[in-house]
Amino acid sequence: MLRAARALLAMRHALDAELAFSEMLGAWWGENVPGLDVERLLGEGLITHAAASGKSAGLGVLAAVAALGTSPEQRELAEQGMIALRERGLQVPEWASQLGRVTPLGTYVNSDLFGDTDDVVCVFGRGTPDSATGPEHALILVVDHNGGGVLRDAWVTTKVERLLAQCRERAAADEFTRFSELDPAQARVLLERALHTTEQIVAGSSDPASAPPAEAVAPSASELVEGSLAAHLALAESRIRSLPLPPEGADLSPAPVWRRDRRAVLAARFLSSEEAAKLSDSYAASRCADHIIAYGCDVDGGRPMRVSPRKVESFLLRWLPGRVVLLSEEQEAMPHVLAAWVRWAGPRQGLPEVAVGATLDAVWECTAEFARTYRDPARPLGMRQEAVRRLLPDGDFSALARRMFAFPLLASEIVSWAPEEFDPATPKGRRALLRLDHYGEYEAAVPHSGRHSSGQDRWYRPATQDTPQRRRELERHERLAERLWFGRPAGLWAAARRLLDRGVDRTDVLAALGEALDAASDEADLRRRLDGL
């Protein structure tokens, strides 16, 4: 990289150098090695090597990292290295002092009538706000809402006026195209959120407690890394940081929060509408409507009313099969409920009749493939639907494997007679399941107070007397199983899978995970220990 930096010293323009260094810094983006922070290892290693080189090329690298570094720690270390090299009398070209020194001159959004993607156009001039020149370049970032709000693509152009003119002309000529100015602070919030989602997916560490739904519909990490986004990522992050922060107290969130009561009101409005009146199974329709609303709120940036052909396809063929467990009657009802939703929500969002018709066509075109694509998790695993429902009370299909690992007895007939006593969604139920799993044998049920025994009257005690050691092991197992049930942190199940893939049996995997949990001083330390397993 230092050898490449020597060639960059001959460049005349700061933008050319920024693009070149951004591509250099994106070379290892998305590289995941268990137990290693690749970004920190290579990023800080490059800084250390550049500072120790004692050459102008090293000073050029440090100037680039100080402006485009992907973390505050990187930028601070690079600045310290620059100071040390400058004190030794080293000089770099004029462009090095201009890296990252830009002023936002305008932000715009280009989208279509359906709102599937937003092309965010950020125009920058070179210099400080007091001395900024005219438009020098535009950074265009594509936010894919059907992909969970990820950044799909990025590029830079210096033909700013021509770009803006073409966007305005197209919007004037095409009724399905929208082009408008965007508040710079709003643009920053939108892009930072998209960048965060993208980083999570590329890192493979989406936390199910924070933003799991996007993972089922987002492009794969390899798709994102192999595109032009990687080469422009460092530059994009730098430019986003230069946009103004929203005023204190201003609500500029691109994803409004939809609480449970608000979602219920929206579902009730739909189910009482004329469009939903012809749906024959009201219970299945209600469940399907809840999933449609959840997808719009959690994946589509808080826009449950937005409908489009691409959104319909993403919902039916990607999100539902990957995230939700549907009963057989719900599978049959889903296309009909979705069609009714399109007829109800489309006009209320201002879609013309032709756009609503195109979206309805997409629903029926996807229906046959949905029936083939949707997976019944109970069938290939030889499980009863009742067992699947107990494992997935929230319908989160992606949680099935880790919950079966944490509570294998849920899939057995042993506890099927007492679903309330062995409810894994409650601490009491988890403890009952783990005692049965932990001790291996229990005495027969004993009725309370001489009453006739029933499923709810029964209680169990281990055949082998409890000891302090056994209680400690059980308590550790409880803490671990609770984390596996909720998927926190995401690296916990990833570590378990790695061990299982190497042939380690379940008991030893639980022991290794429990030891990491006990030894960790905080959540960050726990993640590091899990990465090392």
Side-chain angles (χ1 to χ4, degrees), residues 115 145-146 148 193 294-304 306 311:
H145 297 292
N146 290 319
R193 183 171 182 267
Y295 177 78
C297 293
D298 299 335
V299 178
D300 192 23
R303 299 185 295 178
R306 187 182 77 84
K311 182 177 178 179

Side-chain angles (χ1 to χ4, degrees), residues 6-349:
R6 293 193 192 102
L8 298 179
L9 293 177
M11 288 185 171
R12 296 184 178 182
H13 302 290
L15 181 61
D16 293 334
E18 287 172 327
L19 289 169
F21 278 110
S22 181
E23 184 173 3
M24 183 185 296
L25 294 174
W28 56 78
W29 185 50
E31 294 293 331
N32 292 317
V33 179
L36 287 179
D37 186 340
V38 177
E39 178 69 26
R40 181 177 179 181
L41 178 68
L42 295 181
E44 295 185 6
L46 175 62
I47 295 169
T48 302
H49 194 63
S53 70
K55 298 179 180 178
S56 295
L59 182 55
V61 169
L62 293 173
V65 177
L68 306 178
T70 55
S71 71
E73 293 78 15
Q74 280 187 11
R75 297 192 291 274
E76 183 178 350
L77 283 174
E79 288 176 358
Q80 293 174 356
M82 285 178 63
I83 293 172
L85 290 184
R86 285 187 183 279
E87 288 177 350
R88 296 168 63 177
L90 293 179
Q91 298 295 323
V92 292
E94 180 63 25
W95 56 255
S97 62
Q98 299 177 19
L99 296 177
R101 293 173 61 84
V102 295
T103 298
L105 302 179
T107 50
Y108 307 85
V109 60
N110 186 57
S111 61
D112 62 19
L113 185 63
F114 290 114
D116 291 315
T117 60
D118 284 332
D119 297 347
V120 182
V121 181
C122 303
V123 179
F124 297 94
R126 186 66 61 178
T128 63
D130 296 332
S131 62
T133 59
E136 186 202 49
H137 63 276
L139 170 68
I140 300 92
L141 295 161
V142 181
V143 181
D144 182 1
H145 297 292
N146 290 319
V150 300
L151 288 178
R152 269 281 192 178
D153 204 356
W155 70 92
V156 171
T157 180
T158 56
K159 299 176 181 179
V160 179
E161 297 299 339
R162 181 178 176 183
L163 171 69
L164 297 179
Q166 288 179 340
C167 289
R168 294 187 180 103
E169 290 171 5
R170 183 183 174 192
D174 185 353
E175 64 175 341
F176 281 82
T177 301
R178 300 286 184 267
F179 182 73
S180 60
E181 289 194 41
L182 182 64
D183 181 86
Q186 177 75 61
R188 175 168 182 159
V189 173
L190 171 65
L191 293 173
E192 283 184 340
R193 183 171 182 267
L195 185 62
H196 176 69
T197 302
T198 306
E199 291 280 12
Q200 282 188 311
I201 291 168
V202 169
S205 60
S206 294
D207 189 342
S210 57
E215 201 169 6
V217 298
S220 65
S222 60
E223 287 181 79
L224 295 171
V225 171
E226 291 170 2
S228 64
L229 183 60
H232 293 87
L233 185 68
L235 178 65
E237 290 182 342
S238 174
R239 294 296 186 263
I240 292 171
R241 290 194 299 271
S242 72
L243 294 174
L245 291 167
E248 187 175 352
D251 183 12
L252 293 177
S253 172
V257 177
W258 281 75
R259 298 187 304 273
R260 185 177 300 177
D261 55 347
R262 191 180 174 194
R263 300 184 190 201
V265 170
L266 182 60
R269 286 173 53 201
F270 163 67
L271 294 170
S272 62
S273 67
E274 293 183 6
E275 290 81 1
K278 296 181 180 180
L279 299 173
S280 57
D281 188 336
S282 59
Y283 177 76
S286 175
R287 294 274 295 174
C288 291
D290 288 342
H291 296 311
I292 294 170
I293 293 170
Y295 177 78
C297 293
D298 299 335
V299 178
D300 192 23
R303 299 185 295 178
M305 298 287 285
R306 187 182 77 84
V307 295
S308 79
R310 282 190 58 204
K311 182 177 178 179
V312 161
E313 181 180 351
S314 179
F315 173 71
L316 283 178
L317 303 184
R318 298 183 67 184
W319 191 74
L320 280 176
R323 294 293 309 179
V324 177
V325 174
L326 297 174
L327 303 180
S328 57
E329 57 269 25
E330 295 167 2
Q331 294 178 41
E332 294 178 7
M334 180 58 78
H336 303 280
V337 178
L338 183 57
W341 180 273
V342 169
R343 288 191 292 268
W344 178 74
R348 286 166 173 77
Q349 288 297 99

Side-chain angles (χ1 to χ4, degrees), residues 352-369:
E353 185 176 348
V354 64
V356 174
T359 307
L360 287 172
D361 289 343
V363 174
W364 303 125
E365 288 169 3
C366 290
T367 297
E369 188 175 351

Side-chain angles (χ1 to χ4, degrees), residues 401-415:
R402 72 169 189 270
R403 290 177 180 175
M404 284 186 65
F405 174 78
F407 301 100
L409 292 179
L410 278 177
S412 73
E413 295 284 349
I414 299 175
V415 298

